[in-house]
Amino acid sequence: MIDLSGKSAVVTGGSRGIGRAIVLRLAEQGADVAFSYRGNVAAAEETAEAVRALGRQAVAVQADHSRPEAGDIVIKAALEAYGKVDILVNNAGITRDDLIMRMSLEAWQSVIDTNLSGAFHAIKAVTRPMLKARSGRIINITSVSGQAGQMGQANYSSAKAGLIGLTKATARELASRGITCNAVAPGFVLTELTQGLSDALQAEINNRTPLGRFGTPEEVANAVAFLASDEAAYITGHVLAVDGGLVMM
């Protein structure tokens, strides 16, 4: 059984969807959690209360990860609350889908700033305390879109592909100090975003997925909890697909 007792974790974008499932999974396994949210105060408070109901501590931090200072803000809050950060999960992300010929510069830049640069700034902020502790787990949430590309998602696919490169570079830089860095690449997962897809599109996605169904946020969270644990101590620079077999590499 995965045991994260005594660990403290930071999850960016942790108030809803996959991020919320990750926050709760880490708390269930014994970790205290600080998580960021952009604007939905009610969802953040509900998630924090759910963590406390599990007997763990929770800190909700409002931060916009398109801005460089957001990483420092959330890591500082966790250090002030818990004195250390053992686990960082970079989950914060947005979509601004459009075809390349119609995509605005703002739509391109905002997705790159949030999904890729936001993760860089959080990693940069956590590196010093993890180096001092000579241990740590960094997990980046990428996507099948970053592995195979997706029509209408040049910005999102580019950011998520960049996260894979960032994961591998971070893994090489920090390995000598006992810090691992891995990525989880979800496929199509049932969230508020995907539940709005038409029945025809959902059926098409299921047909393309060898396991024949959407994933759940909890299944992604299970992979994150494993990579955050002592059981994954010899795994670094890896991209773990949680996609029902959609992308086989």
Side-chain angles (χ1 to χ4, degrees):
M1 178 176 173
I2 292 170
D3 184 5
L4 300 177
S5 301
K7 303 291 187 182
S8 63
V10 168
V11 180
T12 69
S15 63
R16 296 184 295 171
I18 290 173
R20 182 182 188 276
I22 292 168
V23 168
L24 295 182
R25 185 73 166 91
L26 297 180
E28 286 169 1
Q29 301 312 128
D32 296 318
V33 187
F35 66 91
S36 65
Y37 67 99
R38 190 168 60 170
N40 192 327
V41 176
E45 290 178 348
E46 191 278 331
T47 299
E49 284 304 312
V51 170
R52 296 180 187 118
L54 293 168
R56 307 316 313 162
Q57 298 181 67
V59 176
V61 185
Q62 189 164 16
D64 179 355
H65 286 277
S66 70
R67 304 192 62 82
E69 64 270 18
D72 282 322
I73 289 169
V74 67
I75 297 300
K76 182 179 179 182
L79 290 172
E80 288 177 350
Y82 309 132
K84 60 177 183 169
V85 176
D86 301 295
I87 301 157
L88 168 63
V89 183
N90 282 306
N91 171 73
I94 62 171
T95 56
R96 297 287 186 272
D97 295 354
D98 211 341
L99 296 175
I100 290 171
M101 65 183 293
R102 292 203 302 253
M103 185 174 289
S104 68
L105 179 59
E106 187 279 330
W108 167 268
Q109 198 63 55
S110 62
V111 170
I112 297 296
D113 287 346
T114 302
N115 299 23
L116 179 55
S117 298
F120 165 77
H121 293 301
I123 292 170
K124 185 176 174 65
V126 86
T127 295
R128 194 176 299 277
M130 282 189 175
L131 287 173
K132 188 175 180 180
R134 300 187 72 86
S135 68
R137 299 280 187 271
I138 299 170
I139 300 125
N140 298 320
I141 307 301
T142 180
S143 169
V144 294
S145 295
Q147 295 175 301
Q150 191 70 25
M151 188 173 71
Q153 289 194 320
N155 48 5
Y156 186 78
S157 295
S158 297
K160 292 300 189 178
L163 264 181
I164 293 173
L166 177 62
T167 296
K168 293 177 182 294
T170 303
R172 288 192 183 277
E173 284 194 22
L174 303 183
S176 65
R177 298 296 183 93
I179 301 164
T180 67
C181 184
N182 294 286
V184 173
F188 290 96
V189 176
L190 284 172
T191 64
E192 293 176 15
L193 291 175
T194 55
Q195 284 172 347
L197 298 176
S198 69
D199 290 343
L201 185 52
Q202 289 193 37
E204 180 188 338
I205 290 167
N206 286 337
N207 288 334
R208 287 168 50 198
T209 304
L211 285 181
R213 64 173 177 85
F214 279 64
T216 68
E218 290 72 24
E219 287 172 320
V220 179
N222 290 340
V224 172
F226 167 66
L227 291 173
S229 72
D230 290 342
E231 284 81 353
Y234 201 56
I235 301 171
T236 197
H238 182 69
V239 181
L240 176 55
V242 184
D243 64 1
L246 186 62
V247 177
M248 298 191 187
M249 301 180 71

